[in-house]
Amino acid sequence: MAYETILTETRGRVLLITLNRPKALNALNGQLTEELIAAVQQADADPEIGCIVITGSAKAFAAGADIKEMQSATYAEMYAGDRFSAWDRFAALRIPTIAAVAGYALGGGCELAMMCDIILAADDAVFGQPEIKLGVMPGIGGSQRLTRAIGKAKAMEMCLTGRTMDATEAERAGLVARVVPAEGLLDDALRTAETIAGMSKPIAMMTKEAVNRAYETTLTEGVRFERRVFHAMFATADQKEGMAAFVEKRPAKFQHR
Ligand code: CAA
């Protein structure tokens, strides 16, 4: 499928998606949202793809939802169209996703990064939920995911004042997995993605599901879920291969099933 607002490139078992509305700092308009979600859903279902990397430009990962597109919308239009609900499909992805963030990740851009499983930040990355300055608040999960990621104190301050966080603070706060020099960001993200894509895809999907369960449930239920899924992994060919490879002192060759 030909996309106009994103670039896609397959590198081995990794799908690299580059947000590509440079003149609007990759603002997430309706078209970009639909194209991005179509591309990631296709990869989710593709056994040949084991991980997705989403990146932007050197200046902006994404500067938010498209303000110009929504500025004159009415309540009825926002409600009837259930604006932003399409992103639930992104959050429901089972394939592992990495956000490689350089420059601005503001508003919906920060929210998109937080919907990814791992955020790798360039040392010049800037995170924020500045919607309050526009007379609104986060609308793609920011008030919830930021609070879960970095705790109430910082999330509340950021959402109420619109102040941004640099990469160092974001790492200290637990929002990002690692900070890397801007020039090495994409290579690092692709290497990390290759590592993940080299694992068994179903096992990686189940692992993602188990970690995410920690956000949704009690510890007792989460541990029970983990144990049941752990048992289920013994029905996969890749568990047999992974353990046989260890015993035979050779690298595992996963069949991703
Ligand atoms: N929507 C639409 N257009 C945007 C945009 C956005 N979120 N962010 C930037 N742009 C556009 C600008 O309007 C500008 O276009 P023109 O050249 O046509 O004027 C172009 O991108 C370049 O932007 P700037 O000239 O502003 O660049 P800068 O370097 O001076 O500033 C910036 C960069 C600080 C990121 C600034 O662009 C900015 O503050 N952007 C808005 C950030 C924001 O408020 N994001 C939240 C959006 S609402 C949201 O996301 C709701 C939600 O939770 C779902």
Side-chain angles (χ1 to χ4, degrees):
M1 185 174 162
Y3 299 118
E4 292 175 355
T5 61
I6 59 171
L7 304 171
T8 60
E9 189 186 335
T10 304
R11 302 217 188 163
R13 290 183 49 76
V14 175
L15 176 66
L16 170 63
I17 301 179
T18 307
L19 309 181
N20 191 32
R21 295 188 69 213
K23 288 188 185 137
L25 302 186
N26 294 329
L28 309 171
N29 65 358
Q31 186 183 1
L32 188 150
T33 302
E34 284 306 321
E35 291 186 354
L36 176 60
I37 291 170
V40 293
Q41 283 193 312
Q42 197 180 344
D44 201 35
D46 183 348
E48 301 303 320
I49 303 292
C51 191
I52 300 170
V53 173
I54 299 177
T55 197
S57 68
K59 180 168 178 185
F61 177 72
D66 193 310
I67 299 166
K68 293 167 189 165
E69 190 182 59
M70 66 184 158
Q71 72 176 115
S72 55
T74 63
Y75 165 73
E77 285 162 357
M78 295 298 274
Y79 181 78
D82 204 6
R83 183 70 74 103
F84 302 140
S85 62
W87 290 103
D88 292 346
R89 288 185 272 147
F90 188 100
L93 288 176
R94 300 191 306 160
I95 189 171
T97 52
I98 297 176
V101 176
Y104 296 111
L106 300 179
C110 187
E111 292 168 305
L112 170 58
M114 290 192 291
M115 278 188 283
C116 293
D117 301 315
I118 297 173
I119 302 178
L120 295 180
D123 47 16
D124 64 359
V126 177
F127 298 88
Q129 299 290 164
E131 290 90 341
I132 197 154
K133 296 190 205 168
L134 301 168
V136 290
M137 67 174 189
I140 314 178
S143 65
Q144 306 303 300
R145 291 195 177 91
L146 189 65
T147 308
R148 280 166 161 81
I150 68 175
K152 176 183 161 183
K154 268 183 191 289
M156 194 66 95
E157 189 200 13
M158 289 176 68
C159 290
L160 286 178
T161 68
R163 89 156 172 96
T164 56
M165 266 197 312
D166 65 17
T168 308
E169 184 182 1
E171 184 183 27
R172 209 181 329 121
L175 182 64
V176 312
R178 274 180 303 113
V179 180
V180 299
E183 60 276 13
L185 174 70
L186 194 55
D187 283 347
D188 194 312
L190 288 169
R191 261 198 315 277
T192 307
E194 267 165 37
T195 301
I196 294 169
M199 307 298 176
S200 161
K201 184 170 182 181
I203 300 296
M205 284 173 149
M206 289 182 221
T207 304
K208 165 172 172 164
E209 192 178 354
V211 173
N212 279 336
R213 192 52 74 97
Y215 279 111
E216 308 281 352
T217 192
T218 63
L219 182 61
T220 304
E221 281 307 314
V223 170
R224 195 195 310 273
F225 177 82
E226 179 193 76
R227 193 175 307 132
R228 289 290 171 256
V229 176
F230 186 85
H231 296 161
M233 288 172 173
F234 284 73
T236 66
D238 286 338
Q239 174 271 325
K240 296 289 173 284
E241 166 59 12
M243 292 197 178
F246 175 81
V247 172
E248 293 160 20
K249 301 189 189 300
R250 60 173 175 83
K253 276 187 75 176
F254 293 119
Q255 298 167 35
H256 310 291
R257 64 182 177 85

